[in-house]
Amino acid sequence: MDALRRFDGSLNDLSPVRTERLERVVVAGGGPSGLVAALALAREGVPVTVLEKGAELAVESRASTLHPPTLEILASLGVIEPILARGLKAPRTQFRDRRHGPVATFDLSHLDDETSFPFRIQLEQNKVAAIIADHIRDGHQRGDWDCEIRMDHRVHGVRTLGDTAATVVVGTAEGIVDIDCPWLIAADGAHSAVRRTAGVPLHEDVYPEKFLVVSIADDLAAIFPDIENVNYVADPEQWLVLLRTPDHWRILFPLAADHPHPEGEASDELVAECMRGITGDDRSWTILATSVYTVKRAVVDAMRRGRLLIIGDAAHQNSPLGGMGMNSGVQDALSAGRRLAEVWRGGSETVLDEFDRLRREVAVQYVQADSHANWLVLREPDPVKRAAMHADLAAAAADPDRHRERVRRTAMLDAVRSHL
Ligand SMILES: Cc1cc2nc3c(=O)[nH]c(=O)nc-3n(C[C@H](O)[C@H](O)[C@H](O)COP(=O)(O)OP(=O)(O)OC[C@H]3O[C@@H](n4cnc5c(N)ncnc54)[C@H](O)[C@@H]3O)c2cc1C
């Protein structure tokens, strides 16, 4: 093999019990990005193997929003019906001031002449991934395509990477297996072992706040009848996001960066303190899940290196304000899958360099820029600037052209129409 180099020293201790040669595209990671890439390739007749470290697909709910162009992609892959059936339609997004109430409401139905899906679908990412995985397995079993999903296969990294093949080091029940493959897609999430061992630099900034997400069984719309299913609530001290999913409400709170609470499940005291701020009283809530986590803006130097493509959180991360993480991962996945299928059939590899350029532009100029702008508006401390920002939002909502322009951008239509 024309190895560019031998990679990360940490792999030297992992001696293989055997080597396997797969004449298939290997996808590391069975999250939404990896599964969509696999399905896109499989539908184009390319044989695919997904390697997922878990015994089951990940169960955390995390992302919960699918924007219109992502729904278009899922429709083009034949998997939209169960998603529409199980998800909650949310055409409107409300922007509120925590002290003064509604500021502006933006409505995706302004785009009903541009997309068949002029709404968000609220459905947690674990359910989306499970639907796509079932669809892949059903099609594989029927013989419609050749796409296997191997669970309990942890990718430790890339041993070699060249212009014609890659070798991945995989932990399996029988021990370490080196898998040689002609193409590798890294979709193994924010801590990507593939990205790290391939030596692809990730440039990252950490936000000065940790985020706390709390899922509750109580109906927030019964307490605040004027809210929508998606609400961004500005406040200089404690901004909020209130999001409805089919089964519960989720509330996102900021925590000071030096807050001593560690990442992971939140303490009862922290949840009680934050939830008290919602209604100002000590009512009891039915808490379903909590999570404290650090938020970053990050992007890789390259989303293609030789026979490796990097997609989703493995390639870029952003604040969840705007709900663009899972969506941009799915959009990367379609772009990578469609282009790699063209190369598999003998087409020029320049389409993969174009994938790298376009998708990194989206990560920085759309996803990071917009999610960061959302964070700045929500927390603006200066009352004069805050009033001006809110007046501008209200004016945009009232003007049909500006309304349309804003919802096109926040729905990621602009980015997808020009950068897939
Ligand atoms: C609390 C929270 C809330 C969020 N809210 C939103 C939101 O509202 N909207 C939105 O769009 N985005 C949101 N995001 C971001 C979103 O969750 C991610 O952008 C999305 O999960 C990216 O999907 P992915 O498939 O690229 O990565 P992941 O979902 O992380 O999937 C990676 C997969 O790879 C597997 N894996 C990892 N390492 C290995 C390995 N070494 N070998 C094999 N398999 C491996 C994992 O088990 C997993 O199945 C949120 C994130 C968090 C943390």
Side-chain angles (χ1 to χ4, degrees), residues 139-394:
H140 181 74
Q141 224 161 26
R142 277 195 308 270
D144 293 350
W145 48 67
D146 178 4
C147 181
E148 54 164 2
I149 304 175
R150 296 188 189 176
M151 307 304 293
D152 271 327
H153 278 60
R154 176 183 289 273
V155 177
H156 290 286
V158 186
R159 205 181 293 282
T160 57
L161 176 62
D163 291 333
T164 57
T167 303
V168 274
V169 179
V170 186
T172 72
E174 59 174 310
I176 296 293
V177 175
D178 274 10
I179 296 184
D180 293 337
C181 56
W183 289 97
L184 173 63
I185 297 182
D188 49 345
H191 304 289
S192 173
V194 175
R195 180 194 68 227
R196 179 176 50 76
T197 53
V200 181
L202 182 78
H203 302 283
E204 60 181 38
D205 283 332
V206 178
Y207 273 88
E209 289 167 340
K210 284 184 265 191
F211 287 13
L212 162 67
V213 64
V214 178
S215 301
I216 57 171
D218 313 77
D219 182 7
L220 277 185
I223 303 172
F224 304 106
D226 63 347
I227 59 175
E228 297 288 347
N229 289 336
V230 178
N231 308 272
Y232 291 92
V233 187
D235 189 81
E237 276 154 33
Q238 194 185 46
W239 52 263
L240 301 168
V241 181
L242 312 176
L243 281 179
R244 191 178 209 157
T245 73
D247 310 316
H248 61 270
W249 280 87
R250 303 172 77 196
I251 305 160
L252 189 66
F253 300 92
L255 298 181
D258 58 359
H259 196 291
H261 200 292
E263 291 200 63
E265 200 175 328
S267 66
D268 293 347
E269 295 73 34
L270 178 66
V271 173
E273 179 194 321
C274 290
M275 293 301 292
R276 195 175 301 123
I278 301 267
T279 48
D281 57 29
D282 271 322
R283 72 182 64 205
S284 67
W285 299 93
T286 308
I287 308 294
L288 301 174
T290 65
S291 172
V292 174
Y293 61 103
T294 302
V295 181
K296 294 177 181 169
R297 274 188 295 176
V299 68
V300 278
D301 264 3
M303 288 174 68
R304 178 195 180 193
R305 184 161 282 186
R307 289 293 170 124
L308 168 66
L309 304 179
I310 310 176
I311 64 172
D313 272 20
H316 46 73
Q317 295 139 44
N318 59 277
S319 137
L321 300 175
M324 290 181 274
M326 170 167 65
N327 285 275
S328 59
V330 167
Q331 294 160 13
D332 287 348
L334 185 85
S335 179
R338 227 174 40 186
R339 288 162 185 272
L340 189 50
E342 214 177 304
V343 173
W344 188 271
R345 288 190 293 264
S348 160
E349 290 186 22
T350 54
V351 293
L352 301 178
D353 296 326
E354 197 183 35
F355 154 82
D356 170 38
R357 181 178 62 76
L358 291 175
R359 297 309 303 167
R360 273 187 303 125
E361 262 175 38
V362 169
V364 174
Q365 293 171 20
Y366 289 85
V367 177
Q368 288 188 358
D370 291 6
S371 54
H372 190 68
N374 289 340
W375 177 70
L376 293 176
V377 174
L378 284 177
R379 72 199 301 268
E380 176 54 57
D382 180 322
V384 176
K385 283 192 194 156
R386 191 164 63 243
M389 283 171 164
H390 293 187
D392 187 56
L393 279 168

Side-chain angles (χ1 to χ4, degrees), residues 61 92-94 98 167 213 222 271 336 381 384:
S61 71
R92 285 183 298 280
T93 296
Q94 188 183 75
R98 188 156 181 178
T167 303
V213 64
V271 173
V384 176

